[in-house]
Amino acid sequence: MLEVKDLHVSVEGKEILKGLNLTINPGEVHAIMGPNGAGKSTLSAVIAGNEGYEVTSGTITFEGQDVLEMEIEERAQAGLLLGFQYPVEIPGVKNVYLLKAALNAQREARGEGEIPAPEFMKLVREKLAFMKMDNSFLQRAVNEGFSGGEKKRNEILQMLVLQPKLAMLDEIDSGLDIDAMKVVAEGVNSLRSAERAILMVTHYQRLLDYIEPDYVHVLVDGRIVKSGDKDLALELESRGYEWVTEESAA
Amino acid sequence: MATEEMEKLVRREYTQGFVTDIESDTVPPGLDESVIAFISQKKGEPEWMLEWRLDAYRQWLKMKEPSWAHLNYPPIDYQAISYYSAPKKPEDRPQSLDEVDPKLLETYEKLGIPLHERAALAGVAVDAVFDSVSVTTTFKEKLAEAGVIFCSISEAMRDYPELVKQYLGSVVPKGDNFFAALNSAVFTDGSFVYVPEGVTCPMELSTYFRINAANTGQFERTLIICDKQAQVSYLEGCTAPMRDENQLHAAVVELVALEDAYIKYSTVQNWYPGDEQGRGGIYNFVTKRADCRGDRSKVSWTQVETGSAITWKYPSCVLRGKDSVGEFYSVAVTNGRQQADTGTKMIHIGEGTKSTIVSKGIAAGNSDQAYRGLVKIGPRAKGARNFTQCDSLLIGDRCGAHTFPYQEIGNSSATVEHEATTSKIGEDQLFYCRQRGISEEDAVNMIVNGFCKDVFQELPMEFAVEAEALLNVTLEGAVG
């Protein structure tokens, strides 16, 4: 589904990713872990199309399409969706309006018509209830004045409505208390299906207690230095990152 | 016989002096007292009106064009302008939509303007088939029932001379400023509204209903009087882009609110902004002022400014009455090479007066705009309050936004708050929206409309919907 080959990425002349390889198949849940500054968030940002990063070499393909040739919105329309670590505030724009515009833009790109309003409201109310969010969320401006937990829940709500093929979650657990984390994890778990893949970027193993990954990759200094299953995450939790770094240097 | 010959000669001299071609109803370019006499005569005005105009003209002659605004345009040659031309005859106008600039029609389409209205707006000779005739008639009947007077100012001068004489120039004096003096001397038409005591006008009044009746002139004059406990909502302009061969526009709007009266004045201004180089666009120098004369009176200005090459406009409130209220809500959008210097003045004279200013400026392309606001609190305005918020949003890095707030506080019991922000349209906001699948252009529109929401919600419902569409059209091509 997603194929990242020998990816090199720089920010303001400084190389962050130095030859990263990653393959993700439908139905799989991958977790990228690693110390601060290793380039974890860079990977999902580059796949999503953030223009602050310069891809100097390598390829990214998604379902056979060259992702690096696609506009940001085309990537989203193709099913690549990013849950932000720091969701952006848009004053004056109602949540419900953003959701509807996004869903209709994606439907249009797929050659489907606009969703009828009653059908849309039914869908959104159902997902809101699932995320334990009040209906009043819809009338509030996008992320404006939201607490950290509300912002993250809102990101998952968007995923549930937009149903991406590959859901990328950038540090979705940061700033969450345990109750909020459970709600977010339930939302993410409900996205799991044989056709959909999930890519999580996280610093802590804690999240993986709630969302069990099929694969864990350790990202150190711009490369994936070790891959394994969920047990690798537990090992990292008890031993830290240093031994992996040393092992890869050896 | 000899006398008759003499009269003929004199009349010929007279006509030659004022018009080259009597048929065309147009004066040659230039301005002097005889041109003003010609206008006054054409309008069939009473003698006192001519004197009033001439007095304004003599004051204007001694005045200098203001240069303090943050605007840059070539000097205007006031002797190169023709100050009177009657509405075009049907045979001179486009005979069908096929003869109209396709770009203009494309814009009408985008704004969702009904077909029959497109023709009227584009100046096609369709008066006979324009089906708003019946609408206008029912409209007039309803107003007459309520006792509301709504007509052109020329008609008002003939039919209600006492009201005009009492109030004309009482808010914006003839010699108030350079452009107001010019308008006072040469204005050709505009609207007149009088709402009698205790009457709430049964419908929103709109110049739109008069589009076909009178050519909205280059020098419009509007006078609205709301008597005690009366209320009116007035809509000026139209969201559709209006073409006009006259480059210079200098309108004057006067509002008078007596005790407990409420006037809501909403404007959508969308004059031709010129081509990509800014050529041929309208220069719009407007003086708008409200006099809250009565206690507890209230005036609310809401404006959406998207057109014109040059905008110079400061709708103001003189808060004379005790506990009177002034409000100013503004969205100004500039793109291409447009320039706008706009804002408001709130003059607090009476005790307990309150004013609110919310200004949203959006600059894109190579455009430049300034917010200029004065809050003046006089020594007798005990407990006066003002709240000002002005925000600017920049799209791209070739545009500019400036804020010039002035405050003159004449007593210590007043409360004045001012908030201002300038921000660039966030790359992160754009990325966030696009990462949800929304195109860049739609994302910009969404963010800008969100930015303007505080003002749009003050607009009458139908206007608000149109204003959003208009903003999107104005900002087309602003990014990418």
Side-chain angles (χ1 to χ4, degrees), chain B residues 33 36-37 49-59 185:
Chain B
E33 297 201 357
I36 292 165
M49 195 59 227
L50 174 61
E51 283 309 316
W52 198 86
R53 285 179 182 276
L54 289 174
D55 184 35
Y57 173 67
R58 286 167 201 148
Q59 293 192 46

Side-chain angles (χ1 to χ4, degrees), chain B residues 183-383:
Chain B
N183 174 286
S184 300
V186 302
F187 73 88
T188 39
D189 224 320
S191 303
F192 177 82
V193 177
Y194 175 77
V195 188
E197 184 170 339
V199 171
T200 296
C201 186
M203 59 192 60
E204 273 160 350
L205 299 181
S206 167
T207 43
Y208 182 81
F209 285 99
R210 296 196 18 244
I211 278 177
N212 282 356
N215 213 8
T216 51
Q218 179 174 16
F219 300 100
E220 263 191 286
R221 185 100 197 180
T222 299
L223 177 58
I224 299 176
I225 303 138
C226 222
D227 215 321
K228 293 174 187 168
Q229 292 112 37
Q231 291 193 20
V232 68
S233 168
Y234 185 88
L235 315 180
E236 176 207 292
C238 191
T239 50
M242 302 271 282
R243 292 247 174 194
D244 197 295
E245 279 117 70
N246 303 312
Q247 201 181 19
L248 175 68
H249 281 242
V252 170
V253 176
E254 296 179 277
L255 311 184
V256 180
L258 301 183
E259 252 168 63
D260 297 295
Y262 175 36
I263 303 176
K264 184 176 174 65
Y265 192 106
S266 314
T267 309
V268 171
Q269 185 267 113
N270 192 20
W271 294 108
Y272 183 55
D275 63 11
E276 273 140 45
Q277 298 306 312
R279 283 180 302 236
I282 303 283
Y283 293 1
N284 198 27
F285 299 94
V286 188
T287 305
K288 288 186 167 176
R289 195 173 302 153
D291 191 350
C292 290
R293 235 167 253 189
D295 292 351
R296 297 169 304 280
S297 58
K298 178 177 172 182
V299 168
S300 183
W301 297 101
T302 307
Q303 60 170 19
V304 177
E305 299 284 319
T306 66
S308 298
I310 304 273
T311 301
W312 181 97
K313 184 178 175 187
Y314 317 91
S316 305
C317 294
V318 181
L319 303 170
R320 219 183 288 279
K322 202 175 155 196
D323 297 317
S324 58
V325 176
E327 295 175 337
F328 174 74
Y329 299 97
S330 168
V331 165
V333 192
T334 51
N335 197 359
R337 298 201 174 265
Q338 284 177 279
Q339 301 175 58
D341 193 303
T342 181
T344 185
K345 283 189 266 184
M346 293 291 175
I347 314 292
H348 293 254
I349 295 172
E351 244 176 69
T353 45
K354 280 203 288 287
S355 63
T356 304
I357 299 170
V358 178
S359 161
K360 304 278 180 175
I362 299 131
N366 290 302
S367 68
D368 210 351
Q369 62 170 272
Y371 166 80
R372 191 179 301 277
L374 169 68
V375 176
K376 186 173 180 174
I377 300 198
R380 287 189 290 121
K382 289 206 185 74

Side-chain angles (χ1 to χ4, degrees), chain A residues 176-191:
Chain A
L176 290 188
D177 62 33
I178 198 75
D179 293 329
M181 172 110 98
K182 278 181 184 164
V183 176
V184 164
E186 257 174 63
V188 175
N189 283 327
S190 79
L191 280 167

Side-chain angles (χ1 to χ4, degrees), chain A residues 7 29 61 63 88 103-104 126 129 165 172 192 227 240:
Chain A
L7 187 67
V29 176
T61 49
E63 298 191 317
V88 180
L103 182 60
N104 280 331
E126 185 187 306
K165 289 179 183 163
I172 200 74
R192 294 180 88 136
S227 298

Side-chain angles (χ1 to χ4, degrees), chain A residues 71 73 77 82 89 155 158, chain B residues 429 432 434-437:
Chain A
E71 294 288 345
E73 54 267 35
Q77 289 158 5
L82 174 65
E89 297 184 4
E155 291 295 288
Q158 294 178 5
Chain B
Q429 288 177 330
Y432 189 76
R434 294 176 71 192
Q435 222 298 310
R436 298 296 174 254

